[in-house]
Amino acid sequence: MVRIGIIGLGYWGPNIVRNFSSTGDARVAAVCDKNPVALKQFAQNNPGIKTCSESREIVTAADIDAVAIVTPVSTHFELAQAALGNGKHVFVEKPFTDSVAHAEALIELAEKKDLVIMVDHTFLFTGAVAKIKEIIDNKELGKMYYYDSTRVNLGLFQHDINVIWDLAPHDFSIMNHVVTDRPVALSACGRAHVSRFEDIAYITVFFTGNLIAHINVNWLSPVKIRSTLIGGEKKMLVWNDTNDDEKLKVYDKGIDVTTKESIYDLLVSYRSGDIWTPKIDKREALKQECSYFTDCVANHKKPSNDGRAGLQVVRQLAACDASLRLNGETVAL
Amino acid sequence: MVRIGIIGLGYWGPNIVRNFSSTGDARVAAVCDKNPVALKQFAQNNPGIKTCSESREIVTAADIDAVAIVTPVSTHFELAQAALGNGKHVFVEKPFTDSVAHAEALIELAEKKDLVIMVDHTFLFTGAVAKIKEIIDNKELGKMYYYDSTRVNLGLFQHDINVIWDLAPHDFSIMNHVVTDRPVALSACGRAHVSRFEDIAYITVFFTGNLIAHINVNWLSPVKIRSTLIGGEKKMLVWNDTNDDEKLKVYDKGIDVTTKESIYDLLVSYRSGDIWTPKIDKREALKQECSYFTDCVANHKKPSNDGRAGLQVVRQLAACDASLRLNGETVAL
Amino acid sequence: MVRIGIIGLGYWGPNIVRNFSSTGDARVAAVCDKNPVALKQFAQNNPGIKTCSESREIVTAADIDAVAIVTPVSTHFELAQAALGNGKHVFVEKPFTDSVAHAEALIELAEKKDLVIMVDHTFLFTGAVAKIKEIIDNKELGKMYYYDSTRVNLGLFQHDINVIWDLAPHDFSIMNHVVTDRPVALSACGRAHVSRFEDIAYITVFFTGNLIAHINVNWLSPVKIRSTLIGGEKKMLVWNDTNDDEKLKVYDKGIDVTTKESIYDLLVSYRSGDIWTPKIDKREALKQECSYFTDCVANHKKPSNDGRAGLQVVRQLAACDASLRLNGETVAL
Amino acid sequence: MVRIGIIGLGYWGPNIVRNFSSTGDARVAAVCDKNPVALKQFAQNNPGIKTCSESREIVTAADIDAVAIVTPVSTHFELAQAALGNGKHVFVEKPFTDSVAHAEALIELAEKKDLVIMVDHTFLFTGAVAKIKEIIDNKELGKMYYYDSTRVNLGLFQHDINVIWDLAPHDFSIMNHVVTDRPVALSACGRAHVSRFEDIAYITVFFTGNLIAHINVNWLSPVKIRSTLIGGEKKMLVWNDTNDDEKLKVYDKGIDVTTKESIYDLLVSYRSGDIWTPKIDKREALKQECSYFTDCVANHKKPSNDGRAGLQVVRQLAACDASLRLNGETVAL
């Protein structure tokens, strides 16, 4: 039985509590929040779980094996460092940390202490992303041309980070998970309209090969769009996450190019075939992830979404900030 | 009666012929194409119209008042220069020319000769763009935040230009037409996968104020998307050009920000109201434009989509190419 | 404080428990279910609520004011009769009863005892239906032409009723609520494919005037459709309940008819104007209804969705069964 | 070379002219219309085709082999009788005739004279219907449960027929073409709101087995819907004719029923698998049909959409009228 302490009962925290509670080999031992109102309400609805307002009580508790940190990103480093320092495994919200240096320090500490770090990249545990990874791993798309994501809606404004740090971790973590090419540089442009943080941003990512990726994030859109187009030489797919019944469509569509005599003398022909909408596993992603974390802790396994995966995303977010300050100049990764 | 000579019977040329033919005060006097097959087929179906294979015959003909140039962009300058030099008004396909210098030279020549140049920015004559301009001119959106266009499909590859020169003239001409802020710089990233020309590109445009624009063009998408989101302080609109029945939706949706004490202490609240789908005039845009050209020629009027409007677009396209070569570095306009 | 006893913890029961629990002036005093597994699980999650397996304990309890009956329709009459007989107000699932006679008997008993009966026609408490009623009451549609509902999906098969008794109560209760014309007869056709109960049925309802209504219910559809078209002389509306963001659209669209000389010499012209998508209140309907029931009980008010409203629906369902047996012959209401 | 005479240049006639003109082995020899304006305009645009205002000239012309009748249904019988009587093959608009007796008389006459009758059931020549027929013929759906079509929009009012005779011929001809079960009876309900002809109607068709079909036709809908759901024991399909890119979807979805001990003790389980959107041939249906007619005439073949197929539809339309007059009572076919 893995005993979990949870810090943070804000927007996402209750979901973490609920899912660890329903994971067979885990038990929520205690929760912590600085907000007395949230804490009291939680205590009433969950009489069996200890509550406290000081995170120190969680990270030092003898009867806690792992700490879930579900707080603003600016606090991740200090809390995770304290938890690891006290020999606790760590489950931490995305983005992992607010800087590359902080992420590296935590990874080093966890390795020294032989502890698990898992970064909550929930989307990796959805049926849709699992199916996309399967399709790409099976080489069904052929050589990859582009990865193009739009993630916009009238969003909750974050008070300590810009729209990139809020929304793009989803796209970076998914892209890093399913794409095998290595990203080498990126360019980001954005503007702040409502607060001092960018609320709209456009990110382009370059890879070792010819693959190009693009991420459009926007807190000011009247419509909610969650769509990703992935184009390859042989097939293309569209993941529309707001369409519950047809989330994923694979198009047997593409371009056949024949070079005649000279390289500039192309014969381009279009292929247009069937569309296939695979059945997507509808399991709750967070439940899968909590169960995976429990398994990794109990059986000394290294998760795929570990600290290094979290660091890669933080490195990409930091590069976005650097490019933003340079008005879109390309920044190496 | 304005007598029109038309050069080019490729993909778009027949539409130009058909629309000038049905314009009351215009008459198609002659057409020209180097391809004998296309020319012969045209002659059979249109016994009343002269045909020729040499553009010189068109630009020098005594019984022709205006020349429509519907050929690849690399030929626009030479043909337009010859037409203007022979005292003919010019209607020319988008993009106006293949370089800023060429556009400037043609404008100067036309002014010297007191002739009309109209660049075929067809979208400006659609009911949708007319309605968007009306909404923005009426200040219904309030202060503008962003202009975000996606124009992707499995596209016909052009053999002499990249996807930006093919598709982005639509977006630039529309944006220049409806947005009152002045664009000052842009950044463009792209990649070529199938030929030596970029088939995918992402453009970000910066303005004097805080407005930001973005254009996503792609010849390799399995789905056709033609959507533009325009966000303002008071309202936002979505133009979905592939939805015939509900092309335009205006959202009474936005964010109200109240600053408390310090600037970093924001109270953000969301407004969500009705959606309004205005009726769009379904007239054929090209017919309106041909009629407008005829009127400008007959009555010595200066069109709004004149050489200068065409030059502005060419300047933006050339800046995109410059930024592409610099991997997305910002280029001033 | 209204003390509620709830009978039935099946598919819908837990929603009733949750909503009465969160209604300020109500308290769930006890729940009952014959299934020991469901009962035990409920008890664990809700330590503060009494549980029992015999409905008699609920209907006779001294500390219960009102009984919510959330059981199969065949049991409604007996349970409601017992509850009313013991002086309890009754909240009962749709359809009210399995026969007209049973409904009439319960209404009579409730009136004699001065008790409230509310039939759970949840849809009446949605923002969409409230807005439709407002639009029709304001005469915006003009004279009503038709009411056409499609309610199909791959449905849970009921083991004791056909698809009409399962799905059509929604449509009948909504139609009776928003339409002012009086239905006078109906015709129903259907077929059973999977069990002995019809799984597909088509119902046409006739009114005193020229209004016609139609209800298409189907448990065997691969796609979920929940759409209602309401057409009037002046405007028309479409309610698409599966479209969360644009549930309701009002079309300024219609036909203007001018009679020339003879009645058979019509000039028909089409009007096509804007579409208006009103903002819909997103409150949870069942919560509103539970609160309304509590208010009616506490303050001796007669609910609009009372026994008589429930009887009208049962009368329509019974007429459908009669017409089904006559292969679609029209049956008077 | 089959020489075609065409009677009627109204809404559909020009399409018939255009398609026979582009059919290799056919030639449009003459066209006829009573309207001098339409005739004159046609003559100007088609100098090579003879025109006349009297149908007698067409049906008696020595240099015409076949007559296409593209006029209101009330005139079909007289014109087709005259054409057949003069030894001409006949291509006639749907519905074939205005009565069963008229259809039977024409079939007899054509057989006596060994002439071809083809009824213009254009939809049978679409890629979508061809694919549906292929899927059903391959037994992919398994035992068929239902065929449910909705064909509604703000329609052009016909001045001599009701909405059933206008729109339902499409559905009846398609259903007769793809369904192998035999329809034995039908019920129809409708109402007239704008003229004396029904503008809204609901038709239910019964078959020898358990299959049930339904057709919803409406001239007064604010939205255009052209959708057909076909459900079978093994799979189900949805044909959405307004969705150009995904007209047809085949759902690997259904219900598995296991009977335990008694017939009333069912175990129902749901299957939900992939969705398959087959590529649809985008050929113009009418062009295929005109080519097929030409081939049948030239090579003495009997078309599948011959007089008997047309008669079956007329029989179904006439049964609808009979049921309408009986308020939906079932009428045998």
Side-chain angles (χ1 to χ4, degrees), chain A residues 224-271:
Chain A
K224 181 176 183 173
I225 307 177
R226 294 277 182 275
S227 85
T228 303
L229 279 71
I230 306 182
E233 193 177 12
K234 285 161 44 182
K235 289 190 180 172
M236 301 172 179
L237 68 81
V238 178
W239 169 28
N240 185 346
D241 204 52
T242 60
N243 183 342
D244 272 344
D245 296 321
E246 306 183 10
K247 273 196 194 302
L248 201 62
K249 295 185 186 177
V250 183
Y251 294 77
D252 182 13
K253 225 171 176 177
I255 285 179
D256 293 323
V257 183
T258 322
T259 310
K260 280 199 319 185
E261 291 162 36
S262 95
I263 191 167
Y264 301 135
D265 204 359
L266 299 175
L267 287 178
V268 175
S269 64
Y270 294 82
R271 248 184 328 102

Side-chain angles (χ1 to χ4, degrees), chain D residues 192-206:
Chain D
H193 300 89
V194 173
S195 74
R196 68 189 162 119
F197 295 108
E198 285 80 8
D199 40 44
I200 293 174
Y202 307 104
I203 306 162
T204 308
V205 187
F206 304 101

Side-chain angles (χ1 to χ4, degrees), chain D residues 59-80:
Chain D
V59 298
T60 60
D63 62 349
I64 282 179
D65 306 305
V67 176
I69 300 167
V70 200
T71 55
V73 62
S74 57
T75 67
H76 287 185
F77 173 68
E78 203 178 344
L79 291 169

Side-chain angles (χ1 to χ4, degrees), chain C residues 145-146 148 155-157 192-194 196 200 210 214 216 220 222-223 236 251 253 255 257 264 270 327 330, chain D residues 145-146 148 155-157 192-194 196 200 210 214 216 220 222-223 236 251 253 255 257 264 270 327 330:
Chain C
Y145 286 162
Y146 63 89
D148 190 343
L156 281 178
F157 269 72
H193 299 88
V194 174
R196 67 189 164 120
I200 293 175
N210 233 10
H214 190 257
N216 178 336
L220 292 174
V223 286
M236 301 172 181
Y251 294 77
K253 224 170 176 178
I255 285 178
V257 182
Y264 300 135
Y270 294 83
N327 271 317
T330 296
Chain D
Y145 286 162
Y146 63 89
D148 189 343
L156 282 178
F157 269 72
H193 300 89
V194 173
R196 68 189 162 119
I200 293 174
N210 231 10
H214 190 257
N216 178 335
L220 292 173
V223 284
M236 302 173 178
Y251 294 78
K253 225 172 175 178
I255 285 178
V257 182
Y264 300 135
Y270 294 83
N327 271 318
T330 296

Side-chain angles (χ1 to χ4, degrees), chain D residues 40-322:
Chain D
K40 190 178 167 194
Q41 191 189 331
F42 180 88
Q44 285 175 338
N45 293 330
N46 302 271
I49 301 178
K50 268 195 290 190
T51 59
C52 61
S53 62
E54 289 300 323
S55 60
R56 198 171 19 83
E57 294 185 43
I58 299 281
V59 298
T60 60
D63 62 349
I64 282 179
D65 306 305
V67 176
I69 300 167
V70 200
T71 55
V73 62
S74 57
T75 67
H76 287 185
F77 173 68
E78 203 178 344
L79 291 169
Q81 193 181 40
L84 294 167
N86 283 283
K88 315 299 187 201
H89 303 279
V90 164
F91 179 95
V92 59
E93 256 334 279
K94 62 89 195 161
F96 183 20
T97 58
D98 55 5
S99 76
V100 168
H102 278 161
E104 289 173 336
L106 293 177
I107 290 169
E108 194 182 343
L109 181 55
E111 287 180 350
K112 211 171 68 186
K113 296 240 171 188
D114 198 19
L115 293 165
V116 169
I117 294 177
M118 182 178 283
V119 182
D120 180 13
H121 293 152
T122 321
F123 268 107
L124 306 189
F125 296 85
T126 59
V129 171
K131 181 61 78 175
I132 292 171
K133 184 161 172 53
E134 179 189 320
I135 288 167
I136 292 177
D137 285 351
N138 289 345
K139 315 283 187 206
E140 289 185 51
L141 305 188
K143 192 180 169 187
M144 283 184 68
Y145 286 162
Y146 63 89
Y147 180 105
D148 189 343
S149 171
T150 303
R151 190 175 296 276
V152 308
N153 63 309
L154 205 59
L156 282 178
F157 269 72
Q158 302 288 328
H159 285 269
D160 57 343
I161 51 174
N162 65 21
V163 70
I164 292 178
W165 285 76
D166 179 35
L167 297 181
H170 295 307
D171 298 298
F172 281 127
S173 61
I174 297 165
M175 188 183 82
N176 296 339
H177 185 62
V178 302
V179 171
T180 54
D181 302 62
R182 196 165 59 82
V184 292
L186 59 73
S187 160
C189 300
R191 279 292 180 270
H193 300 89
V194 173
S195 74
R196 68 189 162 119
F197 295 108
E198 285 80 8
D199 40 44
I200 293 174
Y202 307 104
I203 306 162
T204 308
V205 187
F206 304 101
F207 290 77
T208 42
N210 231 10
L211 174 63
I212 188 166
H214 190 257
I215 301 169
N216 178 335
V217 283
N218 184 338
W219 276 336
L220 292 173
S221 166
V223 284
K224 181 175 182 172
I225 306 177
R226 294 276 181 275
S227 85
T228 304
L229 280 69
I230 306 181
E233 194 178 11
K234 284 162 42 183
K235 289 189 181 172
M236 302 173 178
L237 68 81
V238 177
W239 169 28
N240 185 348
D241 204 51
T242 60
N243 184 341
D244 273 344
D245 297 320
E246 306 183 10
K247 273 197 194 300
L248 202 60
K249 294 185 187 177
V250 183
Y251 294 78
D252 182 14
K253 225 172 175 178
I255 285 178
D256 294 322
V257 182
T258 322
T259 311
K260 280 199 321 184
E261 291 164 34
S262 96
I263 191 167
Y264 300 135
D265 204 359
L266 299 175
L267 287 177
V268 175
S269 64
Y270 294 83
R271 249 184 327 102
S272 180
D274 295 355
I275 305 170
W276 168 57
T277 305
K279 185 187 174 187
I280 299 296
D281 187 343
K282 293 202 171 176
R283 57 189 178 183
E284 186 177 358
L286 188 53
K287 189 170 168 59
Q288 301 286 325
E289 193 180 19
C290 289
S291 171
Y292 180 50
F293 178 71
T294 304
D295 180 44
C296 288
V297 167
N299 303 301
H300 296 87
K301 292 180 185 169
K302 205 177 96 59
S304 58
N305 53 329
D306 64 356
R308 293 196 182 279
L311 166 61
Q312 186 181 8
V313 171
V314 170
R315 215 183 280 284
Q316 290 162 328
L317 298 170
C320 286
D321 276 356

